Amino acid sequence: MPDLIVAAEVDGPILLCEEGLSVWGGVDPKTGRIIDAHHPQHGKSLAGHVVMMPTSRGSCTGSGVLLGLAFAGAAPKALVFREGEDILTLGALVATRLFQHPIAVVRLSATEYEQLARESHATITAAHLRAGDLDFPLTPVASEGLTLSDTDRAFLAGTHGEAAKLAMEIITTLAAAQGAPSLTDVTRVHIDGCIYASPAFLTFARAMADKGGRVRVPTTMNAISVDHGNWRAQGVAEDFGLPASQLADAYVEMGARPSFTCAPYLLEDKPGAGEDIAWAESNAVIYANTVLGARTVKHADFMDLCIALTGRAARSGVYLDQNRAPRRIINVEVPEGIDDAFWPMLGWLVGQVAPDRIPLLRGLENTQPSEDDLKALCAAYGTTSASPMMHIAGITPEADMPPTPDADQASLTAQDFARLWQGFNQGADKVDLVALGSPHFSAAECNAFADLMEGRHVNPDVATIITLGRGTLTTISANGVKARLEASGVTIVPDICWCSISEPVFPPSAKVLMTNSGKYAHYAPGLSNRAVRFGALAQCALTAQSGIAPTTPPPWITPAPALAGH
């Protein structure tokens, strides 16, 4: 019987999304229109619809964007999923229960989902989902099967204050929907909800702070939406800069550390293998599970704070050994002579092939990816897959884990890379902006780019900007790399990331940007409304100097049939 996860009485036309969607970066937060240029339903609107999708994908910020859509009157009436889904479900739960903006959430079996997909309009009540001749009885998700500790019950009783009580109510509701047997202690949290994607984020954080919310475990913070100490000098408008900085301040007030980085794995204190943590920010989650062997599901915005206030998370998903096993084996054909552009492209392609399950990559055993290569791989993977991790034979710590009995096989060939290079390079040859640091640049990447720019200078018509975390900024300031970069004309901006940057820090006059980030190459067309060129770090350095992007793929990419003769 279908599960009713968030109850609300709604009806509306059905919008069928053929693929999962990242609401953050893929949807206009004011109108609900799909702006992800790579999505099959690009240009359609979620507003007022019963939206069907297999599951969501991409950024953990989607829960907050959904709440913002509700405040703007542009939210869907309901969300209908075929697979498990947490990010948008949480946004719908917060919108419905805390702010009286009802968004129903239903989970169907594959057969029921296929039947509903043929209909044009649906009505959802507390007991039924009806569409045409279909009448599905709905079963509300119950928490009877969730075992709670005395500490958990004390939170629910309000012993630790109103904010912590509300946090535990949200945690247990979602835990029941996930079928979690119990909750688990976590050692640390990374907050993603500090990005000011809409006023809803500040409304939520301010409400929890005013209710006395205080974190109970060490808590770091993601990149925010402004350079906290310099936004006024940078010309950022008061009506954006002030609430964006106030959002960050609200989390600091609740005890979070102002690390302001989307790459918390670059901080000195990294989680270890087998450690239960609670991270939001999709690239960080994937890196933690895949590369570090730590354990965290992809926690949605708002849930990250709830867990920080209680130190407890649902014991579900990849917190459990059996859910970390690969369900798809991907055989990768590695071209000869690859450069660092290979890794973000691989991540994007793997996500396309495994959008809803953990893959095991084979064929990379003789490669030697750096930590930054793996960072780029994980970040790009998170743009096209909902999965919180992958395994890479011979490279990642749990890659010898046996695949599930039903695991299938797929492959990636040189032609797949050629087609993606073409898809990532839709902009004109003349480039106005080189955008580096999505996720945040590491100290090693800063040093590598400084070496590439040594004795050379950025073209006066090309803004070249690196975004990074405060910890990395401290490191490169001490070792002289910052001075070397600035001497070459490179601008360094802390606290923000390309996925949260806005004008005028993002140069308003720029029409075409170049990046080495697969994540930003995916999101930039929708987020910035600019054309994109993509290439390796060395190509970005050459473009920064000349203002012209390479006109042909790198030698390791064999032209796809569509490129023949060009």
Side-chain angles (χ1 to χ4, degrees):
M1 187 176 291
D3 292 325
L4 178 64
I5 300 172
V6 180
E9 303 218 349
V10 298
D11 70 277
I14 292 174
L15 173 64
L16 177 64
C17 291
E18 298 168 34
E19 297 178 0
L21 176 66
S22 176
V23 173
W24 182 89
V27 174
D28 186 317
K30 296 180 181 178
T31 66
R33 184 177 65 87
I34 297 173
I35 59 174
D36 182 345
H38 301 277
H39 196 275
Q41 277 63 58
H42 175 256
K44 301 287 186 180
S45 177
L46 308 186
H49 285 80
V50 175
V51 176
M52 297 181 64
M53 67 178 77
T55 186
S56 68
R57 70 182 188 200
S59 176
C60 303
T61 306
S63 51
V65 175
L66 185 64
L67 179 61
L69 288 172
F71 286 173
K77 293 287 188 69
L79 297 165
V80 180
F81 300 112
R82 188 182 65 202
E83 311 288 342
E85 200 286 333
D86 297 333
I87 293 173
L88 300 183
T89 299
L90 176 60
L93 177 65
V94 171
T96 302
R97 292 198 181 175
L98 273 68
F99 298 106
Q100 293 72 55
H101 289 285
I103 304 172
V105 180
V106 175
R107 184 170 58 219
L108 301 179
S109 69
T111 299
E112 293 160 344
Y113 187 93
E114 185 177 341
Q115 292 173 327
L116 183 62
R118 293 193 286 266
E119 302 295 333
S120 60
H121 194 279
T123 300
I124 298 173
T125 69
H128 291 269
L129 188 160
R130 295 186 175 95
D133 294 331
L134 299 177
D135 188 347
F136 295 141
L138 298 177
T139 302
V141 171
S143 59
E144 284 80 2
L146 180 65
T147 300
L148 299 177
S149 69
D150 289 342
T151 300
D152 300 331
R153 296 184 187 282
F155 278 114
L156 289 172
T159 303
H160 300 287
E162 186 180 358
K165 177 179 184 291
L166 178 58
M168 184 56 75
E169 289 173 352
I170 292 172
I171 291 169
T172 53
T173 298
L174 268 293
Q178 296 161 355
S182 60
L183 306 184
T184 185
D185 287 329
V186 298
T187 58
R188 65 185 82 203
V189 172
H190 183 68
I191 296 285
D192 187 60
C194 50
I195 295 174
Y196 187 72
S198 79
F201 288 80
L202 179 57
T203 300
F204 176 80
R206 192 65 260 161
M208 296 299 272
D210 291 343
K211 293 177 188 295
R214 296 295 181 272
V215 304
R216 295 174 65 89
V217 293
T219 300
T220 52
M221 291 174 64
N222 202 22
I224 58 176
S225 297
V226 290
D227 178 347
H228 193 275
N230 301 297
W231 61 267
R232 284 189 173 90
Q234 292 165 343
V236 175
E238 190 83 8
D239 61 357
F240 178 81
L242 183 59
S245 62
Q246 288 174 333
L247 173 61
D249 293 341
Y251 281 104
V252 174
E253 179 183 327
M254 288 186 279
R257 171 185 168 189
S259 50
F260 299 161
T261 180
C262 53
Y265 42 82
L266 296 177
L267 299 172
E268 290 186 7
D269 181 22
K270 300 178 185 177
E275 183 178 341
D276 283 353
I277 64 176
W279 279 8
E281 166 54 48
S282 58
N283 97 83
V285 168
I286 295 166
Y287 191 98
N289 285 310
T290 300
V291 181
L292 302 180
R295 300 185 172 219
T296 176
V297 303
K298 191 186 288 185
H299 289 294
D301 291 7
F302 306 153
M303 181 61 77
D304 48 13
L305 178 62
C306 292
I307 296 171
L309 297 181
T310 61
R312 300 282 280 169
R315 191 169 168 267
S316 63
V318 291
Y319 285 118
L320 303 171
D321 288 345
Q322 64 266 29
N323 293 333
R324 297 176 73 85
R327 292 177 52 211
R328 178 159 291 158
I329 299 167
I330 302 176
N331 299 296
V332 180
E333 177 185 308
V334 181
E336 291 187 13
I338 59 172
D339 58 23
D340 53 276
F342 170 79
W343 297 100
M345 295 177 74
L346 175 63
W348 195 95
L349 290 167
V350 168
Q352 283 269 295
V353 175
D356 59 355
R357 64 197 62 200
I358 296 171
L360 167 63
L361 278 56
R362 291 178 175 165
L364 300 161
E365 290 84 351
N366 294 323
T367 63
Q368 296 182 313
S370 67
E371 290 182 355
D372 291 317
D373 292 332
L374 295 174
K375 172 165 75 81
L377 170 80
C378 292
Y381 175 66
T383 67
T384 49
S385 179
S387 171
M389 67 180 297
M390 69 181 91
H391 301 286
I392 310 173
I395 295 174
T396 56
E398 298 174 90
D400 58 351
M401 181 177 289
T404 60
D406 63 344
D408 55 10
Q409 301 229 5
S411 62
L412 289 172
T413 70
Q415 292 300 305
D416 293 308
F417 287 91
R419 281 188 286 269
L420 181 57
W421 190 92
Q422 184 182 50
F424 271 179
N425 283 274
Q426 296 292 307
D429 294 346
K430 184 179 183 300
V431 171
D432 313 291
L433 167 67
V434 174
L436 304 172
S438 178
H440 273 165
F441 250 28
S442 68
E445 287 174 303
C446 291
N447 186 68
F449 197 69
D451 287 345
L452 290 166
M453 296 297 296
E454 192 70 41
R456 300 171 178 86
H457 201 276
V458 169
N459 187 294
D461 295 328
V462 183
T464 301
I465 302 174
I466 291 173
T467 62
L468 40 60
R470 292 183 169 191
T472 299
L473 180 59
T474 298
T475 298
I476 67 169
S477 297
N479 65 18
V481 169
K482 177 176 180 287
R484 291 171 60 206
L485 288 168
E486 291 177 338
S488 295
V490 177
T491 299
I492 298 169
V493 182
D495 298 353
I496 57 178
C497 177
W498 287 101
C499 289
S500 62
I501 202 168
S502 59
E503 296 182 3
V505 181
F506 186 110
S509 62
K511 295 181 174 61
V512 180
L513 67 88
M514 186 168 185
T515 184
N516 71 331
S517 165
K519 177 178 181 177
Y520 197 50
H522 178 95
Y523 284 130
L527 285 174
S528 70
N529 198 30
R530 265 73 166 193
V532 175
R533 298 301 296 265
F534 167 84
L537 190 63
Q539 292 174 311
C540 290
L542 290 174
T543 298
Q545 297 161 36
S546 68
I548 303 297
T551 56
T552 58
W556 63 268
I557 294 183
T558 303
L563 296 177
H566 286 248

